[in-house]
Amino acid sequence: MDSTSTHVPAELERKMDEAIARYPQDRQRSAAMPLLHLWQEHFGFISDKGVNWIAAKLNLQPVNLLEVVTFYPMFRQQSAGKRHIRVCRTLSCAMAGSYQLMEKFCGAAGIERKIDKQEVHNPVSVSADGNYSIEFVECLASCGTAPVCMIDDDLHENVQPDGAANILSNPQSAIRNPPSPHPLEHRLIFKNIGREDWEIDIDAYIRDGGYKQLEKAVTMSRIDIVNEVKTSGLRGRGGAGFPCGVKWSFIKPDEKKPVYLIANADESEPGTFKDRYIIHQDPHQLLEGILISCFALNAHIAYIYIRGEFPEGARILERAIKAARAKNFLGKNILGSGFDVDVYIHRGAGAYICGEETGLIESLEGKRAYPRIKPPYFPAVLGLYMCPTIVNNVETLCHVKHIIAMGGAKYAQLGRPNNTGTRIVCVSGDVQRPGYFEIEVGAVTMGQLIYDMAGGLKFGRRLKAVIPGGSSAKVLRADERFKLKQKQPDGSTIEREMSIDEIPMDFDSLTAAGSMAGSGGVIVLDDSRDMVWTLNNINEFYAHESCGQCTPCREGALWMKKITDRMLLGGGVIEDPRTLKTIGDNIAGRTICAFGEACAWPTQSFVEKFPDEFAGHALKPVPPPLPPEYTPEELVERETIPTSPLAHDPGWEKAGAAGTI
């Protein structure tokens, strides 16, 4: 069938009608992304005629669809190859060899890779015979098994560059067997991950005591459930660490508008890969947490916003929802309680900014994911469709089930004061045994995590630095000393000086050390790593992922990337480290959402913590501030740069070539 035809098969249109029905009748624009996914899966790409057809279907203007197609990287306006390869290029994968993997794939598939001159986007390159296409993509949320790639919908882990040709000839997805729990772990959320006797179907989950907490919750009052979550001290596991029960209490008990719950499954922070395993191996745990939360909030509709790079995860959750509906755990009058609730899957399309809760809401409404200004758009007040909305991370919602099972007070005994419960930390980078570990918050130190649980550094290497909370967290040097205040059992507080190995892995300690716990993604860097190269990889991620709404972030993230690009190529000038820090300083605190801080903090901290390395890449004198200015290419190519003082008289208009007057 001609992929630009406006004739749509009946089965495809039936799926589209089914997708549209998941959203309120007056909010059909929300179905834009689901319909675009269906169109692209059927025809291979989204043509102009496809945009027009879907726009007419949803009573929208074509420009409303076009702005979505051009914003989200996973939507294509041109046909790809018969088999499409996505290679992850973010930090953990790049450290493990993903750039070499890309070269090997291109060689094996006969692809001459296109490179965007601006190097902001990663265009799709297609082989001459049309059999293969390839692109670099941002984090695929499997950093512990780096390098990784996707071939069509299948994830491939630990793909060594020399194995690229074999994968193309035998593209069976080979998912690594999860490791056994470490003695220092305390598994609640991950108790079923990697169990040999475990199946992900609903019957196995029920035999293991599943949905008992939902049965208990529907007999409790809503305020009692909220109070249990408050008592537990549970803090959000998505990055901000905001108290979950406090967030829930923002919803008025007598709220007249519809209340919505959104599970944020847009796991996109480089270094983080915990939600993937929950979704793939224990989907009913997430679903039970969502249903309990819906009952507590009087929310009759919940959406699971899952990143587009988790197609198999989306299918697993769809099957779990169908199975739970068949047993009356969701749908009409669940468990005879008189409460109706539905849960729907909404797939993203490759934008990191959708992890920000208001950007996610805009995306769910069928628009570009431009974050909203807070205030007034706090989701609990003005969220999805301008109704009260709670957005919680996958791991956070899973904890709700265990709080109901244990009781808030007993749950609060796990971990440390203000840092209660367990949390999953993900370790990747230069360690012997990268992977995920569920620990009591603060019960394990950074040193125990790296050297005991993750097996220590690779042979002959020493620790150089740690990024403790995903790529946006400030880097910590291995040789730093930190002064941390610690509460004693008698309630008093003492200040202790400690090494990086002694820092407890909790929210408050990592903040006091000058970084953050963030999303729990710990990236370990050994003494073989060039810090300018490392920052450049991070800068490229944020330059690519900025939504572009705020000028400081849109322009500044790209400037920082271009400067570190030039420094690595030998064109760094003496002022570059100071310029980098100045740009970061002028982004942080000046944007609508926290993405500004996320892209600024790495630059600020790397330049401050490793001044000698940045100075070593910035040896050329400052080019003259006179027209014509040197291009980045000229700064790289010219061994020497003539300089002159700033002209005041005779002035700019008489300034000659190469900065002479």
Side-chain angles (χ1 to χ4, degrees):
M1 177 181 175
D2 180 5
S3 59
T4 59
S5 170
T6 53
H7 171 70
V8 176
E11 176 61 14
L12 178 58
E13 190 158 9
R14 183 195 66 77
K15 290 179 180 178
M16 290 183 168
D17 290 336
E18 192 178 87
I20 292 169
R22 297 178 170 188
Y23 307 95
Q25 286 190 348
D26 59 341
R27 301 289 182 175
Q28 289 195 349
R29 185 170 180 171
S30 281
M33 289 176 69
L35 266 58
L36 288 168
H37 274 299
L38 288 166
W39 187 281
Q40 182 165 293
E41 286 162 8
H42 186 84
F43 294 117
F45 70 104
I46 300 163
S47 62
D48 289 343
K49 289 184 178 180
V51 167
N52 293 332
W53 191 94
I54 295 172
K57 179 81 172 171
L58 297 177
N59 296 313
L60 299 172
Q61 294 299 315
V63 70
N64 300 140
L65 269 295
L66 190 62
E67 70 170 356
V68 174
V69 172
T70 55
F71 182 85
Y72 296 93
M74 289 185 72
F75 292 135
R76 296 189 297 266
Q77 292 177 280
Q78 293 180 326
S79 183
K82 293 176 183 175
R83 306 220 69 169
H84 186 56
I85 308 163
R86 298 182 179 95
V87 180
C88 177
R89 57 143 300 277
T90 36
L91 186 56
S92 297
C93 280
M95 290 164 66
S98 64
Y99 279 80
Q100 295 90 327
L101 178 62
M102 169 62 84
E103 291 176 9
K104 294 289 188 179
F105 267 132
C106 288
I111 295 174
E112 186 176 340
R113 193 165 74 88
K114 294 183 292 185
I115 300 176
D116 190 305
K117 287 185 179 180
Q118 292 296 315
E119 297 183 21
V120 180
H121 301 291
N122 298 307
V124 173
S125 304
V126 186
S127 62
D129 59 11
N131 286 331
Y132 294 100
S133 56
I134 198 165
E135 65 177 325
F136 262 138
V137 294
E138 304 306 319
C139 187
L140 289 175
S142 194
C143 318
T145 57
V148 296
C149 68
M150 289 182 73
I151 300 181
D152 296 328
D153 282 355
D154 295 326
L155 180 75
H156 295 261
E157 301 178 301
N158 296 121
V159 185
Q160 297 310 309
D162 291 340
N166 290 335
I167 287 181
L168 291 184
S169 60
N170 182 30
Q172 296 297 315
S173 180
I175 303 298
R176 187 186 71 162
N177 291 326
S180 301
H182 190 276
L184 289 174
E185 287 191 72
H186 184 121
R187 289 197 173 184
L188 284 181
I189 309 301
F190 268 14
K191 73 166 187 158
N192 297 323
I193 308 302
R195 275 176 54 183
E196 291 185 4
D197 60 340
W198 181 248
E199 299 290 338
I200 66 170
D201 65 86
I202 194 168
D203 293 329
Y205 185 72
I206 291 172
R207 283 197 303 272
D208 203 57
Y211 289 110
K212 290 292 184 187
Q213 283 69 52
L214 177 62
E215 292 175 5
K216 177 181 176 182
V218 296
T219 67
M220 299 169 66
S221 72
R222 293 190 167 92
I223 192 67
D224 284 347
I225 298 174
V226 174
N227 284 338
E228 288 289 352
V229 175
K230 273 187 177 178
T231 302
S232 74
L234 174 66
R235 293 172 66 168
R237 302 302 197 236
F242 191 81
C244 181
V246 174
K247 180 187 275 194
W248 284 12
S249 67
F250 294 155
I251 303 292
K252 295 182 291 188
D254 58 346
E255 180 60 61
K256 300 297 187 291
K257 288 183 178 180
V259 177
Y260 293 97
L261 174 71
I262 303 174
N264 184 347
D266 190 72
E267 184 176 44
S268 311
E269 176 86 3
T272 311
F273 48 95
K274 56 192 172 62
D275 295 351
R276 171 189 285 280
Y277 292 98
I278 296 169
I279 291 165
H280 276 248
Q281 298 189 37
D282 203 356
H284 286 282
Q285 178 184 201
L286 170 59
L287 200 51
E288 185 172 11
I290 288 171
L291 294 169
I292 294 168
S293 304
C294 282
F295 183 79
L297 298 164
N298 199 27
H300 296 286
I301 293 180
Y303 293 102
I304 302 175
Y305 188 105
I306 186 169
R307 63 180 307 201
E309 295 89 342
F310 286 4
E312 181 59 26
R315 287 190 284 268
I316 288 169
L317 285 169
E318 291 278 15
R319 291 194 292 269
I321 289 168
K322 184 177 179 181
R325 180 175 282 110
K327 292 188 179 293
N328 193 226
F329 294 128
L330 62 87
K332 298 288 185 184
N333 186 26
I334 65 167
L335 299 172
S337 64
F339 184 69
D340 302 340
V341 61
D342 271 305
V343 181
Y344 299 114
I345 306 298
H346 185 100
R347 287 184 66 203
Y352 167 77
I353 194 63
C354 293
E356 197 280 334
E357 59 182 5
T358 62
L360 182 154
I361 288 168
E362 285 284 301
S363 181
L364 214 161
E365 290 183 358
K367 296 175 278 188
R368 290 184 167 210
Y370 283 166
R372 299 172 178 176
I373 296 173
K374 296 187 287 188
Y377 296 105
F378 290 111
V381 180
L382 296 170
L384 184 65
Y385 313 134
M386 293 296 119
C387 293
T389 304
I390 293 295
V391 183
N392 282 137
N393 168 266
V394 165
E395 185 188 349
T396 310
L397 289 164
C398 289
H399 278 285
V400 171
K401 160 195 163 73
H402 298 284
I403 290 166
I404 297 302
M406 300 169 66
K410 187 174 179 183
Y411 180 92
Q413 292 173 11
L414 297 173
R416 305 175 63 185
N418 202 42
N419 297 270
T420 60
T422 68
R423 82 166 304 188
I424 302 157
V425 289
C426 311
V427 185
S428 62
D430 296 320
V431 290
Q432 298 274 14
R433 294 194 301 269
Y436 48 72
F437 306 96
E438 185 173 2
I439 59 173
E440 286 190 47
V441 184
V444 170
T445 64
M446 182 83 77
Q448 287 175 304
L449 181 67
I450 294 172
Y451 294 103
D452 192 347
M453 304 178 83
L457 280 294
K458 295 179 180 177
F459 182 75
R461 291 295 175 192
R462 289 179 293 120
L463 183 66
K464 185 172 187 177
V466 179
I467 303 171
S471 65
S472 57
K474 290 186 176 182
V475 67
L476 302 176
R477 279 183 69 119
D479 57 1
E480 281 185 86
R481 301 293 295 180
F482 306 92
K483 289 185 177 179
L484 273 62
K485 292 181 178 177
Q486 291 186 316
K487 275 192 175 181
Q488 300 304 297
D490 62 2
S492 63
T493 302
I494 61 168
E495 186 174 79
R496 274 191 60 206
E497 184 175 283
M498 60 181 67
S499 68
I500 192 170
D501 292 345
E502 298 172 292
I503 298 173
M505 293 299 295
D506 64 52
F507 294 95
D508 296 341
S509 297
L510 288 167
T511 300
S515 188
M516 64 175 179
S519 56
V522 178
I523 305 173
V524 179
L525 305 165
D526 69 23
D527 57 355
S528 70
R529 299 299 171 187
D530 180 335
M531 292 295 108
V532 180
W533 178 88
T534 303
L535 178 62
N536 178 249
N537 183 282
I538 295 171
N539 282 348
E540 185 166 347
F541 173 79
Y542 289 106
H544 182 274
E545 294 300 325
S546 170
C547 76
Q549 182 177 200
C550 304
T551 302
C553 174
R554 179 185 66 245
E555 303 298 327
L558 184 56
W559 293 351
M560 293 189 296
K561 177 209 171 295
K562 286 182 174 180
I563 290 172
T564 49
D565 271 352
R566 194 182 71 213
M567 291 174 76
L568 286 176
L569 292 171
V573 300
I574 291 168
E575 287 293 308
D576 278 347
R578 192 175 74 169
T579 303
L580 280 169
K581 186 177 182 306
T582 300
I583 295 169
D585 292 346
N586 281 286
I587 299 173
R590 292 171 171 83
T591 55
I592 286 174
C593 81
F595 188 100
E597 283 74 24
C599 72
W601 284 343
T603 291
Q604 290 172 320
S605 61
F606 271 88
V607 173
E608 178 188 347
K609 299 289 180 69
F610 299 96
D612 292 345
E613 289 194 44
F614 280 84
H617 282 279
L619 299 175
K620 293 186 177 180
V622 183
L626 299 172
E629 293 181 4
Y630 290 97
T631 65
E633 290 76 20
E634 287 175 308
L635 289 174
V636 171
E637 290 166 5
R638 297 184 68 152
E639 289 188 12
T640 59
I641 304 293
T643 62
S644 67
L646 179 65
H648 293 288
D649 185 21
W652 290 96
E653 69 281 358
K654 295 184 181 179
T660 59
I661 297 174

